[in-house]
Amino acid sequence: MTAKQILTAGLLALSAGIAAPGASTPEEKKKIMKHLTLTKKWDKTFPKSDKVDHSKVTFTNRYGITLAADLYKPKGATGKLPAIAVCGPFGAVKEQAAGLYAQEMAERGFLTVAFDPSFTGESDGTPRYTTSPDINTEDFCAAVDFLVTRPDVYPGRTGIIGICGWGGIAINAAAADPRIKATLASTLYDMSRVESNGYFDVADSAEARHTLRKKLAEQRTEDFCNGTPKPAGGVPDVLPEDAPQFLRDYHDYYKTRRGYHPRSLNSNGGRNVTSTIPWINFPLMSRAGEIESAVMVLHGEKAHSFYFGNDAYRKLTVTPGQENNKVFMVIPGANHTDLYDRKDIIPFGAIERFFREHLE
């Protein structure tokens, strides 16, 4: 067969909807989904609601990584529901802030899943405790796959919530996946920006990035020789006397009974050092202005990360005739971690109204 004949046959197969060799049917995908051992006990950092039914679920992303999730459904609900997938913060697991948001939104009538991203928590993927802008964006889209194919979900009424670093990833997912009809980015971090420029862009220069790349390249060599990645370290157990306020805020969440969890990265050893590598060159917000669906950016007035949310919102484009589909809501006096779990501060009423309006 000539090259031209091969190309023609391939195009005909695509136009006829024939699956490429190696593609899996839904039934085959279920067979190859890795079995995960999931805890059966309630090990969240927040109380269990008596208004919600909770169950453990798994699904697989486009890279074949099986993700673990907690599913929350309004107790006694029948028929189809609007649905929301939740993830974050960047150094957390689903038993922390993501689960709290998911349970709260389920109490308000949504079917929700809070999932552990690839390589983290109860989800699959090696090496452990690594991150990827591509794979982590795909994790959100895989959660949407899971939701829109459920018989108890309206497929056209699905949204996502990203907290902290997952707020930036949520915006990237919304730009990539039109099935996402509404997105909340809460206390948002732009991980590409902070990894490549440093906090407040103090290291935004080619020279500084070259120095960083050299250190990371040396770490790769060391990791290869050792056969295992070096962890970057989470939030320190003991704060130095000169610790900045934002580190004190993190410590108050991740290292105390308020938010500590044994599977949480920031509560323990942190991500791998070399996780930084792909974020330096990955323009996470590059297509934010092309999102046609609704986006709400939520940030605390006193958060050290406020500039991330403010600048991300400025990249969004209001859809003509839908002037209320891009929202920036600022919570007076709130710091970054207040929006992780402070139910007296997180405006769940406004969040519910946003999703009800845009998931109709």
Side-chain angles (χ1 to χ4, degrees):
M1 183 179 286
T2 67
K4 184 176 181 180
Q5 288 172 321
I6 293 172
L7 177 60
T8 301
L11 292 173
L12 287 172
L14 287 172
S15 63
I18 299 174
S24 300
T25 65
E27 290 73 21
E28 289 170 335
K29 286 181 179 178
K30 288 179 182 179
K31 290 179 182 178
I32 64 173
M33 184 182 293
K34 185 172 181 178
H35 176 73
L36 302 178
T37 301
L38 307 179
T39 182
K40 295 181 179 179
K41 65 179 181 179
W42 182 267
D43 61 346
K44 322 302 181 194
T45 59
F46 52 91
K48 187 175 184 179
S49 171
D50 59 4
K51 301 176 183 177
V52 171
D53 289 324
H54 165 264
S55 59
K56 309 285 283 194
V57 296
T58 58
F59 51 90
T60 302
N61 71 14
R62 191 165 54 88
Y63 293 100
I65 300 171
T66 301
L67 304 181
D70 288 301
L71 186 146
Y72 300 88
K73 188 173 182 179
K75 191 173 291 291
T78 59
K80 294 181 182 292
L81 299 170
I84 303 171
V86 191
C87 195
F90 200 64
V93 286
K94 64 186 182 304
E95 288 75 19
Q96 296 170 304
L100 183 146
Y101 273 69
Q103 180 174 265
E104 181 70 25
M105 295 309 292
E107 286 187 350
R108 295 168 182 268
F110 299 86
L111 184 147
T112 64
V113 288
F115 64 90
D116 281 331
S118 296
F119 317 110
T120 305
E122 292 187 302
S123 287
D124 189 25
T126 55
R128 302 304 292 166
Y129 315 125
T130 194
T131 63
S132 163
D134 182 19
I135 296 175
N136 291 152
T137 299
E138 161 61 20
D139 289 342
F140 254 135
C141 297
V144 174
D145 292 340
F146 172 77
L147 290 173
V148 299
T149 55
R150 287 181 60 89
D152 52 359
V153 168
Y154 287 108
R157 298 171 63 182
T158 302
I160 60 175
I161 295 175
I163 307 163
C164 183
W166 278 85
I169 296 169
I171 287 180
N172 192 51
D177 193 338
R179 297 174 303 171
I180 298 169
K181 303 303 181 184
T183 300
L184 169 65
S186 179
T187 197
L188 179 155
Y189 251 58
D190 180 343
M191 294 308 301
S192 293
R193 184 174 176 181
V194 73
E195 297 285 27
S196 60
N197 298 353
Y199 277 112
F200 307 107
D201 302 321
V202 296
D204 184 13
S205 70
E207 181 181 6
R209 279 186 286 274
H210 181 65
T211 300
L212 176 60
R213 290 186 182 107
K214 284 180 64 178
K215 287 180 61 178
L216 292 169
E218 291 168 1
Q219 187 62 54
R220 285 188 66 136
T221 303
E222 181 181 319
D223 289 352
F224 184 83
C225 293
N226 293 335
T228 184
K230 179 181 179 180
V235 177
D237 292 330
V238 179
L239 285 171
E241 291 184 6
D242 60 348
Q245 185 58 48
F246 75 87
L247 185 57
R248 296 181 184 278
D249 294 337
Y250 281 138
H251 189 277
D252 185 56
Y253 181 76
Y254 285 108
K255 290 294 186 175
T256 69
R257 292 182 62 185
R258 172 186 168 195
Y260 176 84
H261 196 277
R263 288 192 295 274
S264 167
L265 283 71
N266 278 352
S267 288
N268 297 286
R271 302 184 301 277
N272 296 335
V273 173
T274 53
S275 287
T276 296
I277 292 172
W279 297 95
I280 297 172
N281 294 346
F282 191 92
L284 193 64
M285 296 290 170
S286 63
R287 302 298 182 203
E290 298 179 9
I291 301 173
E292 296 185 4
S293 59
V295 179
M296 179 181 189
V297 178
L298 177 67
H299 231 108
E301 176 194 20
K302 300 298 184 182
H304 70 281
S305 55
F306 181 86
Y307 72 107
F308 290 132
N310 185 55
D311 290 356
Y313 175 74
R314 292 174 183 274
K315 291 180 182 293
L316 302 174
T317 302
V318 175
T319 304
Q322 301 182 48
E323 284 67 25
N324 63 339
N325 83 334
K326 301 295 189 296
V327 180
F328 186 31
M329 187 173 186
V330 179
I331 308 304
N335 67 35
H336 180 80
T337 57
D338 283 341
L339 299 187
Y340 284 7
D341 65 338
R342 291 281 304 277
K343 290 178 65 174
D344 57 324
I345 290 178
I346 302 169
F348 279 115
I351 294 171
E352 177 187 356
R353 290 190 294 273
F354 169 78
F355 279 107
R356 289 214 176 277
E357 178 178 0
H358 298 289
L359 294 186
E360 288 299 325

